[in-house]
């Protein structure tokens, strides 16, 4: 347990022959010192009792003794909290937390933001924030990170830690970008540091990855596959085809589609990732699948989410996504495909298939290759819905499923 002492710094005597009163923290063979606003003469301070004597002036002695009592109590609370975490800490950590208060506890700040996002139904971002918090905890081997201690060296060491975890380059870049975003949010909320921008010389660009697309022949093979005795695989196969038919719609958007999203033979929705409004004309192939999985009393079209269930919609979606990817992998194994099927293969395949069949780049605008999806949607918005619908119809006819 750390010890707290209020002592005069007798190595620093002022012209008034008094000495600064300091707070000294000793823990694990380390010591940290902080100066208080007060100065006292030797004869006016009882070092053993740690009390100012009335000889220095009664009102001043009472003020100093009240200060000492309050700061000692505050430091004891900090030490007690650190002890409960059952993780190593230093005397410097204690004083850093003391100086910064809540504005210094970076992980607590992340947890608060995550809870606020969860309350606003933004679970994906909340989970990403908590993933960064978890990695920081494992990296530091502590349950707290002091904001003022986040330096360029800290960030570089954290990056090397992520690399040693054998994460993919884009995953590392994602965690670092989120870390930077959280750091900037903390600054805006009043967190203080003397360190320059710790992310200044670190490049946080995305790495271009090989697109996972399958050929039209493979897509037909999936569409016509006989999967007897596997109703779950059949639904996952149909969902995969529906994703392709609906211009590579991500699974999350399909899972959350409701009856209210259908209007005048269009599926109208906002992308979960960007909130960009989109609409897809319902071709006959889509209608067959949508009708097949409608459940009476359930407003969600594909029935991956059930309002009658007790767990949250987000939990249902995440569980369904895991099952979906597991089923797709199984389908690929049954059909002996070279490509491992995942939820995003349909999206990548639609873009590739469109490009290979001379759909103008301005329409598909290489949606999976753009650094920003805003460019894609700028192109789509300027072309007009009718051309987009005709292009999608052309692709589905070419597929011949």
């Amino acid at each position: 347990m750390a010890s707290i002492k209020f002592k005069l710094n007798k190595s620093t005597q002022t012209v008034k022959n008094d000495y600064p009163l300091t707070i000294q923290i000793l823990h694990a063979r380390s010591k940290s010192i902080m100066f208080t606003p007060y100065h006292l003469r030797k004869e006016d301070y009882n070092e053993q009792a740690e009390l100012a004597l009335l000889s220095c002036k009664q009102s001043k002695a009472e003020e100093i003794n009240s200060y000492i009592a309050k700061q000692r109590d505050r430091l004891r609370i900090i030490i007690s909290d650190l002890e409960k975490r059952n993780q190593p800490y230093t005397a410097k950590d204690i004083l850093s937390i003391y100086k910064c208060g809540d504005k210094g506890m970076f992980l607590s700040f992340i947890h608060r933001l995550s809870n606020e996002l969860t309350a606003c139904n933004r679970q994906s971002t909340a989970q990403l924030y908590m993933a960064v918090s978890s990695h920081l905890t494992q990296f530091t081997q502590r349950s707290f990170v002091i904001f003022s201690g986040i330096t360029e060296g800290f960030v570089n060491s954290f990056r090397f830690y992520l690399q040693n975890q054998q994460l993919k380059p884009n995953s590392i870049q994602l965690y670092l970008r989120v870390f930077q975003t959280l750091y900037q949010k903390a600054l805006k909320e009043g967190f203080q540091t003397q360190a320059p921008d710790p992310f200044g010389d670190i490049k946080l660009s995305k790495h271009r990855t090989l697109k996972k697309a399958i050929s039209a022949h493979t897509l037909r093979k999936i569409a016509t596959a006989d999967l007897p005795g596997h109703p779950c695989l059949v639904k996952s196969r149909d969902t995969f085809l529906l994703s392709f038919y609906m211009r590579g719609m991500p699974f999350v958007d399909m899972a959350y589609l409701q009856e209210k999203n259908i209007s005048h033979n269009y599926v109208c929705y906002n992308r979960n990732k960007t909130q960009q409004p989109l609409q897809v004309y319902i071709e006959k192939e889509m209608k067959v699948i949508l009708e097949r999985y409608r459940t009476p009393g359930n407003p969600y079209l594909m029935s991956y989410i059930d309002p009658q269930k007790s767990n949250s919609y987000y939990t249902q979606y995440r569980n369904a996504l895991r099952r979906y990817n597991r089923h797709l992998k199984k389908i690929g194994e049954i059909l002996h495909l070279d490509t491992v099927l995942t939820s995003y293969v349909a999206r990548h395949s639609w873009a590739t298939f469109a490009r290979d069949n001379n759909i103008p780049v301005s329409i598909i605008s290489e949606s999976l290759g753009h650094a920003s999806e805003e460019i894609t949607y700028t192109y789509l918005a300027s072309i007009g819905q009718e051309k987009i619908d005709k292009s999608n119809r052309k692709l589905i006819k070419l597929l011949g499923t």
Side-chain angles (χ1 to χ4, degrees), residues 71 79 88 95 133 140 195 210 230 234 246 274 287 303 307 326-327 339 359 373 377 384 389 399:
Q71 305 318 307
I79 293 169
L95 282 187
S133 175
T140 60
L210 183 65
H230 298 285
V234 171
M246 301 184 83
T274 62
K287 186 175 293 187
S303 301
R326 190 166 63 246
H327 293 162
T339 302
I359 300 297
E373 287 190 353
Y377 293 125
D389 297 340
L399 186 60

Side-chain angles (χ1 to χ4, degrees), residues 79-316:
I79 293 169
S80 175
D81 181 59
L82 290 172
E83 287 288 330
K84 290 176 183 176
R85 296 172 189 262
N86 198 30
Q87 292 182 346
Y89 63 91
T90 65
K92 184 179 179 181
D93 291 332
I94 298 170
L95 282 187
S96 294
I97 296 170
Y98 171 83
K99 291 175 183 178
C100 300
D102 292 338
K103 294 295 185 184
M105 303 297 281
F106 188 57
L107 296 187
S108 297
F109 170 73
I110 296 176
H111 294 181
R112 176 171 64 79
L113 288 186
S114 178
N115 290 335
E116 290 173 358
L117 288 168
T118 300
C120 296
N121 204 32
R122 295 179 60 191
Q123 291 94 334
S124 293
T125 306
Q127 286 201 342
L128 189 53
Y129 283 7
M130 290 306 296
V132 171
S133 175
S134 177
H135 279 298
L136 285 170
T137 298
Q138 294 173 33
F139 164 62
T140 60
Q141 291 297 298
R142 297 180 180 182
S143 58
F144 62 93
V145 171
I146 298 168
F147 187 70
S148 59
I150 301 174
T151 62
E152 184 176 345
F154 181 98
V155 174
N156 273 316
S157 295
F158 181 58
R159 181 180 60 179
F160 294 142
Y161 155 80
L162 293 174
Q163 290 171 345
N164 288 334
Q165 299 304 302
Q166 297 184 332
L167 297 174
K168 293 181 179 179
N170 276 340
S171 295
I172 294 172
Q173 294 296 307
L174 173 62
Y175 287 136
L176 289 174
R177 286 198 304 275
V178 173
F179 184 13
Q180 183 182 38
T181 297
L182 290 166
Y183 183 88
Q184 296 297 332
K185 286 180 179 291
L187 284 177
K188 289 179 180 179
E189 286 214 10
F191 280 59
Q192 296 182 355
T193 180
Q194 300 299 318
D197 181 7
F199 297 89
D201 294 328
I202 297 177
K203 294 182 179 180
L204 298 177
S205 58
K206 283 186 178 181
H207 291 74
R208 292 179 66 89
T209 57
L210 183 65
K211 301 297 179 286
K212 300 175 181 178
I214 56 178
S215 66
H217 171 74
T218 300
L219 201 52
R220 292 190 193 99
K221 189 175 181 180
I222 294 170
T224 58
D226 187 17
L227 300 169
H230 298 285
C232 291
L233 296 187
V234 171
K235 182 176 181 180
S236 293
R237 184 267 308 279
D238 289 348
T239 302
F240 184 84
L241 293 174
L242 183 65
S243 174
F244 181 89
Y245 295 153
M246 301 184 83
R247 307 202 310 264
M249 183 184 288
F251 180 80
V252 61
D253 294 323
M254 290 190 293
Y256 280 98
L257 281 181
Q258 298 186 53
E259 296 279 356
K260 65 182 181 181
N261 293 116
I262 295 181
S263 177
H264 304 293
N265 212 43
Y266 275 93
V267 172
C268 306
Y269 70 103
N270 291 340
R271 273 209 65 193
N272 181 275
K273 184 176 181 180
T274 62
Q275 293 305 303
Q276 177 71 27
L278 292 173
Q279 54 182 359
V280 181
Y281 184 78
I282 302 175
E283 303 289 349
K284 61 180 182 180
E285 293 83 356
M286 305 177 201
K287 186 175 293 187
V288 168
I289 295 174
L290 291 172
E291 290 295 337
R292 183 177 297 157
Y293 295 103
R294 275 181 171 164
T295 302
N298 187 345
Y300 291 90
L301 296 177
M302 293 297 291
S303 301
Y304 282 114
I305 294 174
D306 185 353
Q308 301 301 318
K309 291 184 178 180
S310 58
N311 48 350
S312 70
Y313 292 177
Y314 181 75
T315 300
Q316 293 184 54

